[in-house]
Amino acid sequence: MTRLFPLAMVGWLALATLSSRAAVPQIGEPAPVLKATELDGQPFDLSAAHGKVVIVNFWATWCLPCRAEMPALDGFYRAFRDRGLVLIGVSVDRWADRAKVGALMRQYSYPAAMINEALANDFPRPREIPITYVIDRAGVLRAILRPGRVAVTPKTLAETVLPLLLRQPAPSPSGLSAAAD
């Protein structure tokens, strides 16, 4: 019996470790939780963006494909932020490189946060970067963009995100009751 206890404990720890990892988000499912502090100190909460289309881009300063797509993300964000688009870049750089991340982001108009400063993050830590998630106005994951499959370009952003922006948000339950009165 005493020999079984250590084996049972190891099995339980392995199971607990596996279950604590974030599940890979699936298209058509609600987007994972993401709360972070942006580089400028502002809070970011994905759930607070309900009713808007959100792009979450995981990237790093040392990643050449990441840096290559940043101008397309920035141009798209500048063009559509007034129409309900939210974009956040989440850097996977080391904490020690925070100043480098901040210096690079000064070139762009969209906000960024460090992954290690996320207050809550149910997105899995990326195994490859860049990876970009597109979330509709209802908070549902609609696309995952990554080089080698569907890369972030002005064309793919237009094809993927514009249809979501053109759809008007569903009225809130409180808006329905007010309209019925």
Side-chain angles (χ1 to χ4, degrees):
M1 179 83 168
T2 58
R3 289 183 189 169
L4 291 177
F5 180 74
L7 290 174
M9 184 61 95
V10 168
W12 180 83
L13 286 172
L15 183 60
T17 301
L18 287 174
S19 64
S20 69
R21 290 185 184 158
V24 175
Q26 300 296 314
I27 293 173
E29 292 183 355
V33 172
L34 178 61
K35 294 180 183 181
T37 302
E38 295 172 6
L39 295 175
D40 66 1
Q42 295 296 311
F44 176 86
D45 183 348
L46 182 57
S47 67
H50 192 80
K52 298 184 180 205
V53 175
V54 181
I55 298 173
V56 178
N57 172 253
F58 288 90
W59 68 284
T61 57
W62 45 264
C63 167
L64 294 179
C66 299
R67 295 193 47 180
E69 70 184 23
M70 290 172 87
L73 286 166
D74 190 58
F76 196 80
Y77 176 69
R78 286 175 187 257
F80 295 103
R81 66 181 164 200
D82 293 337
R83 295 188 187 168
L85 178 67
V86 174
L87 169 60
I88 187 163
V90 181
S91 172
V92 299
D93 284 274
R94 296 173 305 149
W95 171 252
D97 293 327
R98 189 177 196 280
K100 186 191 297 187
V101 171
L104 178 65
M105 286 309 298
R106 281 195 272 290
Q107 300 174 48
Y108 302 105
S109 58
Y110 62 91
M114 302 290 292
I115 197 168
N116 57 9
E117 290 184 317
L119 306 172
N121 181 17
D122 288 344
F123 283 90
R125 186 160 185 99
R127 291 186 178 185
E128 62 180 334
I129 53 171
I131 186 164
T132 303
Y133 298 94
V134 178
I135 300 150
D136 72 11
R137 294 180 186 274
V140 175
L141 180 63
R142 293 298 173 194
I144 302 172
L145 310 175
R146 54 188 138 205
R149 295 182 185 127
V150 180
V152 170
T153 66
K155 182 180 184 221
T156 59
L157 288 170
E159 292 171 351
T160 306
V161 182
L162 278 181
L164 301 175
L165 285 170
L166 294 175
R167 287 188 204 138
Q168 292 302 312
S172 66
S174 60
L176 288 175
S177 63
D181 292 337

